[in-house]
Amino acid sequence: MSHELPKAYDPSVIEERWARYWVEERLFDVATPAEDTQDTTKKFTILLPPPNVTGRLHMGHMLNQTEMDILTRWRRMLGETALWVPGTDHAGIATQMMVERQLASEGSSRQQLGREAFIERVWDWRAHYGGAILDQMKRLGASVDWSREYFTMDERLSLAVREAFVRLWEQGLIYRGAYIVNWDPVLKTAVSDLEVTHEERQGKLYHIRYPLADGTGSITIATTRPETLLGDTAVAVNPNDERYRALIGKKVRVPMTGVNGGADREVPIVADDWANPEFGTGAVKVTPAHDPNDFAIGQRHKLPSLTILDETAHVLLPGSPYHGLDRYAAREKLLADLEAAGMLVAVKDHALAIALSQRSGAVIEPRLSDQWFIAVNKQPASGGNSIAQNAIDAVDAANGAKPAIQFTPEMYKKIYLEWMTNIHDWCISRQLWWGHRIPAWHCGECKEITVARETPTKCGKCGSANITQETDVLDTWFSSGLLPFTVFGWPQNMADIRAFYPTQLLVTGFDILFFWVARMIMLGCHFMLDVPLPDGSKRELKDAVPFREVYIHALVRDAERQKMSKTKGNVIDPIEIVEKYGTDAVRFTLASMASPGTDIAFSEGRTEGYRAFANKIWNAARFLFMQMDAAQKAGYTVSVGAPPSPSASSSAQVGALPETTPLETRWMFSRLSAVSAEVERALAAYRFDEAASAVYQFFWGEFCDWYLELVKLRLDFGENHTKNDITAITLASLVAVFESALRLLSPFMPFLTEEIWHALYNNAAPAKSIALTRYPLAADFPADAAADAAMKTLQDLIVTVRALRKELGVPEKEAAPIQLHASNRVLALADANCDMLSRLARVQSVEFANESLTGTNARSTSEFDVTIVYERQIDVAAERERLTKELAKFEKGLAAAQKQLGNEAFMAKAPAHIVDGLRKQAAETQMLYDKAKTALEALPK
RNA sequence: GGGCGGUUAGCUCAGUUGGUUAGAGCGCCUGCCUUACAAGCAGGAUGUCGGGGGUUCGAGUCCCUCACUGCCCACCA
């Protein structure tokens, strides 16, 4: 007995084994092609969006990886050089927080450890826990090149980051300066605009009276953040506001700003267009150090900036009664004091969008501080386009030309361009310890900044040795934005760059469209334009882009369409689901639900269904193996042909079929050809849902439901069996179809197909993995329209007879004769295939009728009338109901058709094939209507 | 304040450039342990395609409008 396959399908047993095998055998590693050979193989290079090293795999990852794996396996099987590069991101803030939390639980802190020891500690943490998410990936069978695994803090990548920074600096595209940034008072660092979310909250608008310094009156301002008045350096009014025109240039005393018992600060009233006469009182306080708009006003009017909050958002104003108070405590006290002094004029409800730090949840405090920026809209010193302009041109080609980067769904192109067009300079400095430290040194003497590739020993300007390195690190997205070229060795080793850059595709979620996708385009285009093409010619934008296509996928939600989140407790752990149903079933679920533009409501019910599908495949294999063994015993030579290799030329796998090939086999190959074409079309368009449903329908609905049942007719190896051609042809075809179907399925269900495929070859498979064989192509199998049509008719006949039998109450096992009235073609078909009718519809015999058949035992289709010869009376009431319903349906159809056909405008304007089709259909409907009517009238009253 | 999606069977979703009488899976109902599979087989029921208006010979599909819903962006105190 050969072909070992346990009776029960148990994914847990087979999946871990193959997952390990794929990694250990290094099946998906791709070596750098030798440069002197003319390698014309198409490349499919794809970068895994690196998960945070702190991360645990979630459904979003699994969707992302499933999609990438399907595409990569598919391309690989098409003979392309498929390289999928994995790695992890050092995730500055997230990782630092994680380790700090750990330290806190030990009663320690990073400050206690000091910078160096802390970073050591993070590396330790990473060594212990950092591999978790990639291990999970291995379990999911991702066909990545593990030999190229990277970490964004690796020595090699760190050097590249430093190089990129220095070059930008040299090009004048990086500057340092004091600007208002989003300050996270919990993490004590600046964060970028993208890392801030806004939340609608009910707040208050406070009207506060500022007395004029000359004692002639007062002006009332409106603010939502009264505590910031401690840092006010002006009051602004609109120059066109009649109410205040006379006050412009006068001074006011900002209440409660006296220090050490001194007088309140005097500040000017300035005229500025920013002040909106419609809002509040029309007069606005100006706090340049704590509000971006106020900062701008300050610049326009040369106002001083007064920082009154420290890095933890406590009041920093020595000598003031508010000094040391948290910003909200200060607000309370200040309001109470103002109230007592009669300065608080009004308090109004006011809805405001409050800025929150995405990471810590803290309320962002705009704060003036020294930060590093990339000037994205500035031309490089050496000439050329600004970073943003290149990033726009790459996606929105001039004169309607095909852009270098294409988005799927296309809608995201618009969103991207909108953002890129309005982009501000990118704040890349973070006040963290974990990350790429900025390669800049401050001179203690002349204050000059020296930016260098190698650690300098003295100031680049005055030569002083009194220099200290910048303490800030770079935004994590700066390094990950460089990945498409740094993973391939830029700037030192360019062999892989020449072979693999640009990557073909990026698959990711829209949540990192700006964070990562946009930054890769910005940095990729900018740096790679300077790298010549392999043939030495100048690289243009179309080849400088980091990837040629971007596929943005949906969000995975829970079954109730809720976003999964830890706080809601509705997070579905993919590993748990995988353990329950098997990776293949979960992958198939995600693929089948991944239609572009729609979020996925993950439901276990679907997964259950696809586990059933996996089980179906398993059992089909068992059936096949039984047949092979039986055939062998009956004296047949059963061999499984080797599939084509991926690089094989596209000559057909199965040529012309022998004359004696039975109908169902001709049909099956024809279907296999059609479904191969459909899958190819769907995957090329990223329609994972359509591809999945095509293979599902093919395998279950056609191969199992029809073909396997029909081949049983030819494969009866009982005692009376004599060797014959039809059996041999059927057997060989069955095996070939099944083997092809496994390859067709394998990108979707890699584990199951791998297991069965090896069993099919008795563990002596012609390749190390099914993943290294060629994907089925439409041209591999003979299409046969005649067989398709014939099978369609027979299927109709069989289904009609089954339904009729059920209705008549013919016992399941009892065979019954039928009468058939139809065209000669159909009659001949039924005659030639009466064994099919017998097997699948328990037809005892077929009698051909000359007259149209109606009556209680009859059913009609456009091609035939059929009656079952069976004495039992039908349920008259039920039959009447059915016929009445059918009549109504036909009437409706007829009425619609006649209305159309009677419409002169339609007849004149509609294309001929539509009119003909409608005519034909109307005629058929009329016929069916007549028959149903006759049948209804024939029913006993 | 801008912008973008979604609304189709009880549930989750397809439905390509307008074209004949709108589909799938799950669930539901009925009958079957038919020797690959009860995680199965066979049969069956189910929709005023969110409301209204318009364009067209023809609208689930295009336009307008309303409603509900989700998301993104935004420096109005």
Side-chain angles (χ1 to χ4, degrees):
Chain A
M1 175 83 179
S2 56
H3 304 113
E4 293 297 325
L5 215 52
K7 192 163 164 77
Y9 164 60
D10 181 358
S12 64
V13 178
I14 64 178
E15 290 185 353
E16 286 197 43
R17 181 155 39 85
W18 289 116
R20 214 176 317 118
Y21 176 82
W22 293 330
V23 175
E24 282 168 3
E25 294 289 316
R26 301 213 154 273
L27 292 188
F28 308 121
D29 288 8
V30 176
T32 305
E35 298 226 35
D36 47 0
T37 64
Q38 295 236 311
D39 181 13
T40 54
T41 313
K42 219 174 145 193
K43 306 285 193 309
F44 182 77
T45 314
I46 184 167
L47 206 61
L48 174 81
N52 284 358
V53 67
T54 56
R56 305 295 294 187
L57 198 83
H58 57 65
M59 271 298 175
H61 292 126
M62 188 161 176
L63 171 67
N64 189 245
Q65 290 173 21
T66 297
E67 290 173 341
M68 280 187 283
D69 199 39
I70 289 171
L71 293 172
T72 307
R73 283 174 182 269
W74 175 56
R75 295 281 178 183
R76 185 182 293 117
M77 290 176 79
L78 289 177
E80 299 180 19
T81 301
L83 170 58
W84 182 9
V85 185
T88 44
D89 192 282
H90 68 279
I93 297 182
T95 310
Q96 176 158 330
M97 276 172 74
M98 192 78 93
V99 177
E100 281 197 87
R101 216 174 295 149
Q102 206 178 48
L103 286 175
S105 72
E106 297 163 13
S108 179
S109 71
R110 80 177 145 110
Q111 286 78 8
Q112 272 180 42
L113 281 183
R115 187 162 186 152
E116 255 178 66
F118 177 76
I119 288 170
E120 277 298 305
R121 178 72 189 241
V122 180
W123 280 106
D124 283 351
W125 185 94
R126 187 236 169 194
H128 267 96
Y129 308 105
I133 193 154
L134 293 184
D135 287 345
Q136 291 177 315
M137 234 184 120
K138 287 174 186 162
R139 175 65 183 76
L140 299 184
S143 64
V144 302
D145 179 346
W146 289 108
S147 73
R148 293 172 181 269
E149 181 189 334
Y150 64 86
F151 178 52
T152 51
M153 285 285 280
D154 283 345
E155 173 96 24
R156 188 173 65 75
L157 291 183
S158 299
L159 276 172
V161 166
R162 182 184 278 211
E163 176 68 26
F165 184 94
V166 175
R167 285 196 196 181
L168 286 169
W169 172 266
E170 288 168 350
Q171 291 163 339
L173 296 180
I174 282 184
Y175 62 92
R176 182 175 189 261
Y179 293 89
I180 294 274
V181 293
N182 304 298
W183 187 265
D184 181 327
V186 170
L187 299 172
K188 289 178 267 185
T189 178
V191 293
S192 78
D193 290 347
L194 286 175
E195 291 161 294
V196 175
T197 58
H198 293 268
E199 204 177 289
E200 190 88 343
R201 288 218 187 142
Q202 199 49 240
K204 305 271 189 216
L205 187 64
Y206 303 93
H207 290 208
I208 300 167
R209 194 152 58 84
Y210 286 16
L212 292 174
D214 60 13
T216 59
S218 68
I219 187 166
T220 301
I221 57 88
T223 180
T224 55
R225 292 190 299 154
E227 66 280 8
T228 60
L229 70 70
L230 297 171
D232 283 2
T233 55
V235 166
V237 297
N238 194 289
N240 300 318
D241 193 335
E242 298 296 341
R243 293 172 292 178
Y244 301 120
R245 191 166 280 174
L247 299 180
I248 294 169
K250 292 198 171 196
K251 298 227 164 184
V252 293
R253 288 208 182 92
V254 185
M256 311 300 162
T257 52
V259 175
N260 296 323
D264 287 340
R265 186 164 61 248
E266 284 187 15
V267 304
I269 296 175
V270 299
D272 195 286
D273 286 333
W274 165 249
N276 177 0
E278 307 293 316
F279 188 90
T281 61
V284 58
K285 59 196 268 325
V286 181
T287 321
H290 294 284
D291 184 280
N293 297 307
D294 294 5
F295 182 75
I297 298 175
Q299 301 259 291
R300 287 196 284 274
H301 299 273
K302 309 219 177 331
L303 300 170
S305 293
L306 210 56
T307 297
I308 53 101
L309 290 170
D310 69 9
E311 58 182 18
T312 62
H314 286 69
V315 174
L316 178 69
L317 202 57
S320 160
Y322 308 101
H323 181 67
L325 290 179
D326 172 78
R327 55 188 158 168
Y328 297 115
R331 179 181 298 179
E332 290 314 308
K333 179 167 164 52
L334 193 59
L335 286 170
D337 293 346
L338 287 168
E339 171 106 64
M343 304 293 212
L344 188 58
V345 178
V347 180
K348 296 184 173 165
D349 284 334
H350 181 67
L352 49 108
I354 196 158
L356 300 172
S357 166
Q358 208 178 52
R359 281 284 162 203
S360 68
V363 175
I364 290 293
E365 196 62 47
R367 187 163 184 270
L368 186 64
S369 58
D370 284 324
Q371 302 291 345
W372 295 80
F373 296 86
I374 296 186
V376 294
N377 291 309
K378 185 178 164 192
Q379 284 206 324
S382 49
N385 280 334
S386 72
I387 290 175
Q389 191 56 51
N390 279 333
I392 289 167
D393 293 345
V395 172
D396 192 21
N399 347 311
K402 185 175 166 239
I405 300 176
Q406 289 196 280
F407 280 81
T408 305
E410 214 170 345
M411 159 185 73
Y412 289 105
K413 169 181 172 173
K414 244 171 89 180
I415 297 177
Y416 167 89
L417 286 172
E418 179 70 19
W419 186 80
M420 194 59 78
T421 310
N422 298 308
I423 193 169
H424 298 305
D425 284 353
W426 173 13
C427 174
I428 50 169
S429 48
R430 297 292 182 274
Q431 288 64 55
L432 304 172
W433 286 356
W434 176 240
H436 299 283
R437 195 158 167 184
I438 290 178
W441 284 263
H442 300 276
C443 178
E445 308 295 330
C446 71
K447 305 296 173 201
E448 187 71 12
I449 292 169
T450 304
V451 168
R453 291 171 175 83
E454 305 292 335
T455 303
T457 52
K458 53 185 183 7
C459 171
K461 189 179 184 196
C462 71
S464 163
N466 179 14
I467 54 169
T468 49
Q469 188 175 2
E470 168 65 53
T471 54
D472 291 355
V473 301
L474 288 165
D475 180 4
T476 299
W477 299 104
F478 181 83
S479 55
S480 45
L482 302 167
L483 285 173
F485 48 100
T486 55
V487 290
F488 294 122
W490 184 93
Q492 291 102 341
N493 180 355
M494 303 297 276
D496 277 341
I497 294 263
R498 286 189 283 271
F500 299 116
Y501 192 92
T503 68
Q504 188 60 40
L505 173 69
L506 180 75
V507 179
T508 190
F510 67 82
D511 51 330
I512 51 173
L513 179 61
F514 305 136
F515 277 119
W516 193 48
V517 181
R519 264 75 178 266
M520 280 191 287
I521 297 175
M522 291 160 71
L523 295 170
C525 292
H526 180 76
F527 283 107
M528 292 305 290
L529 271 173
D530 297 338
V531 176
L533 286 170
D535 65 8
S537 64
K538 181 165 166 37
R539 192 179 290 258
E540 290 177 35
L541 198 55
K542 71 178 174 58
D543 296 309
V545 294
F547 30 74
R548 303 196 186 281
E549 290 187 60
V550 181
Y551 173 72
I552 307 266
H553 62 232
L555 209 66
V556 184
R557 298 167 173 276
D558 74 1
E560 275 75 51
R561 311 211 112 270
Q562 296 290 308
K563 217 170 184 168
M564 292 188 199
S565 77
K566 277 183 199 152
T567 45
K568 277 188 212 144
N570 63 344
V571 175
I572 303 172
D573 179 358
I575 297 297
E576 265 175 41
I577 298 286
V578 156
E579 278 166 1
K580 200 162 158 192
Y581 299 100
T583 308
D584 286 328
V586 183
R587 283 173 61 118
F588 209 88
T589 307
L590 292 168
S592 71
M593 299 187 83
S595 63
T598 321
D599 284 347
I600 293 176
F602 189 88
S603 75
E604 274 192 50
R606 274 298 271 269
T607 311
E608 253 173 76
Y610 293 122
R611 181 184 54 181
F613 180 50
N615 187 54
K616 189 78 182 175
I617 299 167
W618 186 265
N619 280 296
R622 291 182 52 231
F623 170 75
L624 182 82
F625 294 168
M626 279 173 60
Q627 298 305 317
M628 290 169 78
D629 292 341
Q632 210 149 26
K633 284 203 189 95
Y636 289 88
T637 311
V638 184
S639 66
V640 190
S645 82
S647 53
S649 66
S650 52
S651 60
Q653 182 193 342
V654 176
L657 301 172
E659 281 297 312
T660 47
T661 305
L663 172 62
E664 75 277 358
T665 290
R666 294 178 182 281
W667 168 76
M668 191 75 270
F669 278 121
S670 189
R671 292 304 308 146
L672 191 51
S673 173
V675 73
S676 300
E678 169 60 11
V679 171
E680 172 155 359
R681 184 205 61 76
L683 286 182
Y686 307 112
R687 290 306 303 258
F688 300 96
D689 57 332
E690 290 179 350
S693 107
V695 296
Y696 181 94
Q697 171 55 29
F698 169 77
F699 195 88
W700 198 323
E702 292 179 327
F703 179 75
C704 290
D705 287 351
W706 291 96
Y707 191 57
L708 286 189
E709 291 308 316
L710 288 173
V711 298
K712 286 175 183 172
L713 287 171
R714 325 286 176 210
L715 301 177
D716 185 355
F717 298 106
E719 286 165 20
N720 302 325
H721 181 80
T722 49
K723 273 181 77 172
N724 64 79
D725 271 3
I726 303 239
T727 303
I729 291 169
T730 299
L731 195 64
S733 302
L734 173 62
V735 172
V737 169
F738 184 75
E739 192 277 332
S740 302
L742 286 178
R743 280 182 284 125
L744 198 63
L745 282 160
S746 85
F748 303 89
M749 299 188 138
F751 294 99
L752 175 66
T753 50
E754 186 84 292
E755 175 79 12
I756 296 173
W757 192 74
H758 284 278
L760 182 62
Y761 289 98
N762 270 324
N763 294 318
K768 273 189 152 179
S769 165
I770 191 172
L772 303 181
T773 63
R774 194 177 74 186
Y775 203 66
L777 303 172
D780 276 344
F781 315 101
D784 186 336
D788 291 345
M791 269 303 290
K792 169 86 170 59
T793 301
L794 287 169
Q795 285 175 317
D796 278 352
L797 183 56
I798 288 164
V799 167
T800 307
V801 171
R802 281 171 178 167
L804 199 50
R805 285 173 54 96
K806 177 105 171 169
E807 203 167 281
L808 293 171
V810 184
E812 294 277 335
K813 286 182 178 163
E814 196 175 317
I818 64 166
Q819 292 178 312
L820 189 63
H821 169 74
S823 68
N824 286 336
R825 173 191 160 267
V826 174
L827 294 181
L829 202 55
D831 188 41
N833 295 285
C834 56
D835 50 351
M836 281 191 195
L837 301 181
S838 157
R839 173 106 200 169
L840 295 192
R842 301 217 182 248
V843 169
Q844 192 180 59
S845 60
V846 184
E847 186 190 316
F848 300 127
N850 291 322
E851 301 297 316
S852 170
L853 300 164
T854 56
T856 53
N857 280 20
R859 280 285 179 94
S860 299
T861 72
S862 56
E863 281 192 311
F864 54 77
D865 298 339
V866 63
T867 307
I868 291 185
V869 184
Y870 185 71
E871 77 283 6
R872 192 187 141 178
Q873 271 308 318
I874 48 127
D875 179 341
V876 174
E879 183 65 2
R880 177 173 290 125
E881 192 189 328
R882 185 184 69 82
L883 285 169
T884 308
K885 245 180 178 168
E886 224 171 58
L887 272 179
K889 198 178 100 190
F890 292 146
E891 264 168 21
K892 202 176 135 197
L894 271 180
Q898 270 150 14
K899 193 181 147 205
Q900 284 270 69
L901 290 170
N903 185 330
E904 278 176 31
F906 170 75
M907 298 303 282
K909 291 187 181 177
H913 74 277
I914 297 292
V915 177
D916 288 350
L918 188 61
R919 274 217 187 92
K920 198 173 147 213
Q921 173 154 16
E924 280 172 10
T925 309
Q926 183 67 53
M927 188 185 78
L928 292 173
Y929 174 83
D930 292 345
K931 285 177 181 169
K933 185 133 182 144
T934 312
L936 184 62
E937 280 161 3
L939 279 180
K941 297 295 173 209

